[in-house]
Amino acid sequence: MRRTISTVEGAFFAALTVILYLGSIYIPVFGLILSFLCPLPVMFLVIRWNLKVGFLAAVVATLIILAFAGLYQAIICFVGFSFLGIFMGVLVKRGYGWVEIIGLGALVSLLSKLALVGLTLLLMGKNPILESLNIMEQAFGQAYSMLGNLGEGLGENSVETLMQIVKMTIPAILILAALFDTFLNFILGSWVGKRIGVRFPPFPAFSEWRLPPSMVWMYFLSWLLLFLGGSSFVYQIGLNLQLVTQILFMVQGVAVLNFFLRKIIAQRVVRAIIIIFVVMQPVFSTVLTWLGVFDTWFDFRKLLKKK
């Protein structure tokens, strides 16, 4: 009986994976949201049953996508999404905490992205990262030409400088993307899990988020590498390290801001509007970053609770 139930659930979740992935390919805009849901079905199969059931469902889903969308899309589904779901499911089933699940999951997500780049080069002879950068550069060029006189203040050199920075920070962008999709899958998995009786490790409220003190030294190290690197490889390391740590500290700064806003504003929508406005302003976002840095040392929220 138990084997029959696992087979039925495996078939259902495999079909769900196919629907989500094909939807992410063919549905514009909304498909991007569906792509983040693709690892969830096999993740729940591994948690509810075991690794074998989850893996077999992922293979079946990959074969169906192979029939409908071709080899390349099938590889993306398995390597880019199903493998992450299987790995995170194993970690949740074995009782790991949320830090280990997100950290190790982000590492697997990053490796899967690099593997996809390698497989794309092998199968199609194209580098998807360079292709994306070329499209981005063309878009910037078209926008600049459409602006005409309005874009003269920007200058072509500004566009070239921006593209050069983007090219140098590709490693940081990949790391942040891996952290984001792993974190999002964990949050969505926790939310769905509560409704279907699957337990995930407890996760702190957003207002309580706090990075370890070692991250502060990594942030200062990035500044040192930028100062000493000039235009060398050391400078590029510092630039990527700074982008990753700066984004993380800005998120912590937002958590601190949200903690204090909760004391004076009850409506979540109003708090969200204020936070979005602050983040979108370059000066304020810089202040948030340094607020996150100093909060790592002084823990402003703990000081307020003591008072």
Side-chain angles (χ1 to χ4, degrees):
M1 183 66 179
R2 179 179 173 85
R3 185 174 181 179
T4 303
I5 296 174
S6 67
T7 303
V8 172
E9 283 196 16
F12 172 77
F13 281 116
L16 183 58
T17 301
V18 172
I19 293 171
L20 290 173
Y21 186 74
L22 292 179
S24 71
I25 298 174
Y26 297 115
I27 300 177
V29 184
F30 185 67
L32 178 63
I33 300 174
L34 291 179
S35 66
F36 290 111
L37 304 177
C38 291
L40 292 180
V42 292
M43 183 197 303
F44 281 113
L45 277 176
V46 174
I47 298 172
R48 284 176 57 81
W49 299 101
N50 51 50
L51 175 61
K52 180 181 178 180
V53 174
F55 181 78
L56 288 176
V59 171
V60 171
T62 302
L63 293 175
I64 297 173
I65 291 170
L66 174 64
F68 280 95
L71 177 62
Y72 183 62
Q73 296 297 341
I75 291 174
I76 293 177
C77 179
F78 185 82
V79 177
F81 297 105
S82 295
F83 189 71
L84 175 63
I86 291 171
F87 185 80
M88 291 182 67
V90 170
L91 294 180
V92 173
K93 190 174 182 64
R94 293 185 177 181
Y96 282 82
W98 67 270
V99 175
E100 291 86 357
I101 294 172
I102 294 177
L104 295 174
L107 178 60
V108 169
S109 177
L110 178 61
L111 293 175
S112 68
K113 288 174 173 54
L114 295 176
L116 284 175
V117 172
L119 289 171
T120 305
L121 279 170
L122 182 64
L123 296 174
M124 306 179 66
K126 296 180 180 180
N127 188 327
I129 295 177
L130 294 180
E131 293 287 328
S132 300
L133 289 174
N134 291 333
I135 294 173
M136 186 185 300
E137 192 168 6
Q138 292 174 7
F140 279 132
Q142 291 175 359
Y144 173 77
S145 61
M146 290 175 61
L147 286 172
N149 293 331
L150 294 175
E152 290 181 359
L154 297 174
E156 293 182 3
N157 291 333
S158 299
V159 176
E160 293 177 0
T161 302
L162 176 61
M163 290 305 304
Q164 190 65 30
I165 293 174
V166 171
K167 290 177 182 177
M168 287 193 296
T169 55
I170 287 174
I173 294 172
L174 290 175
I175 292 171
L176 291 170
L179 283 169
F180 177 75
D181 61 17
T182 306
F183 170 78
L184 188 60
N185 274 283
F186 181 85
I187 294 298
L188 290 173
S190 300
W191 184 78
V192 175
K194 289 180 181 178
R195 284 148 182 81
I196 64 174
V198 176
R199 294 187 62 183
F200 274 67
F203 190 75
F206 177 60
S207 298
E208 303 296 330
W209 288 9
R210 193 161 175 264
L211 294 169
S214 58
M215 292 295 296
V216 176
W217 299 113
M218 292 180 65
Y219 185 57
F220 289 148
L221 176 62
S222 70
W223 282 101
L224 180 64
L225 294 176
L226 287 175
F227 179 75
L228 299 177
S231 58
S232 65
F233 182 66
V234 174
Y235 176 86
Q236 187 172 353
I237 294 175
L239 185 63
N240 282 274
L241 182 60
Q242 185 182 81
L243 179 59
V244 173
T245 53
Q246 188 166 322
I247 294 295
L248 293 177
F249 278 122
M250 186 175 70
V251 172
Q252 179 165 326
V254 171
V256 177
L257 176 61
N258 184 60
F259 176 84
F260 287 102
L261 286 177
R262 288 179 61 187
K263 304 296 181 182
I264 56 177
I265 300 175
Q267 295 83 359
R268 290 185 178 182
V269 176
V270 177
R271 294 202 306 268
I273 293 173
I274 294 174
I275 289 173
I276 292 172
F277 173 78
V278 172
V279 171
M280 296 300 291
Q281 303 300 315
V283 175
F284 292 153
S285 63
T286 302
V287 173
L288 283 178
T289 300
W290 284 102
L291 176 63
V293 171
F294 287 115
D295 179 68
T296 306
W297 274 340
F298 300 110
D299 196 351
F300 300 124
R301 289 161 285 187
K302 186 176 180 180
L303 291 176
L304 179 63
K305 288 177 182 178
K306 285 184 177 180
K307 289 183 181 180

